[in-house]
Amino acid sequence: MKRIAKTLSANDTGETGGHQAGILVPKNSEILAFFPPLSAEVKNPRHHLFFRDEIGDQWEFAFIYYNGRLFGGTRNEYRLTRMTPFIRAAGLRAGDELILEHRDGEGYSVRYTRAQPTRIQNGVLKLGGHWKVVRVNA
């Protein structure tokens, strides 16, 4: 099983009111290995992935490599898009952790954990926005 997780930012959940093309996926080889490979030979390649949540509902997310820089543009980033319906249905907020899992032969699953009470240090609200690879021994 492969598992990755991300502490959601206010931008990820739409709390800032801004519009973005999905959640940024860092160019970290361990995190990218969770997703199917995308060819740099094609402009903006993508895979549509189907995730099951804990109650069995299916959600379609898209893993996209916006590689316009290789074709004369400016973008060069990976994104996980089409997540807004899931985020809204789950009522996710900044600080909640999104957990994605993949089991060979069983497909993808998605779940989340709610943020612990926020911490304010010196008058500054501390929120995480980092992806992490979760080690699982089979």
Side-chain angles (χ1 to χ4, degrees), residues 62-73:
F63 176 56
I64 304 173
Y65 177 30
Y66 289 107
N67 62 0
R69 183 178 294 167
L70 303 174
F71 296 88

Side-chain angles (χ1 to χ4, degrees), residues 4-22:
I4 59 174
K6 182 180 191 304
T7 302
L8 298 171
S9 70
N11 202 38
D12 294 333
T13 61
E15 292 172 68
T16 62
H19 174 72
Q20 66 174 7

Side-chain angles (χ1 to χ4, degrees), residues 38-88:
L38 296 172
S39 172
E41 307 287 319
V42 177
K43 186 174 183 183
N44 299 335
R46 67 197 67 214
H47 281 288
H48 291 266
L49 307 171
F50 296 91
F51 287 79
R52 289 256 180 230
D53 65 18
E54 292 179 301
I55 61 171
D57 289 338
Q58 182 171 280
W59 302 90
E60 180 182 357
F61 302 156
F63 176 56
I64 304 173
Y65 177 30
Y66 289 107
N67 62 0
R69 183 178 294 167
L70 303 174
F71 296 88
T74 58
R75 292 179 76 180
N76 185 26
E77 62 194 24
Y78 292 90
R79 295 261 174 187
L80 193 57
T81 67
R82 302 181 60 111
M83 297 188 71
T84 301
F86 175 77
I87 289 170
R88 287 187 179 151

Side-chain angles (χ1 to χ4, degrees), residues 7-8 92-97 112-118 127:
T7 302
L8 298 171
L92 298 179
R93 308 292 291 170
D96 292 345
E97 184 175 58
Y112 58 88
T113 58
R114 297 284 179 202
Q116 298 302 315
T118 57
L127 296 175

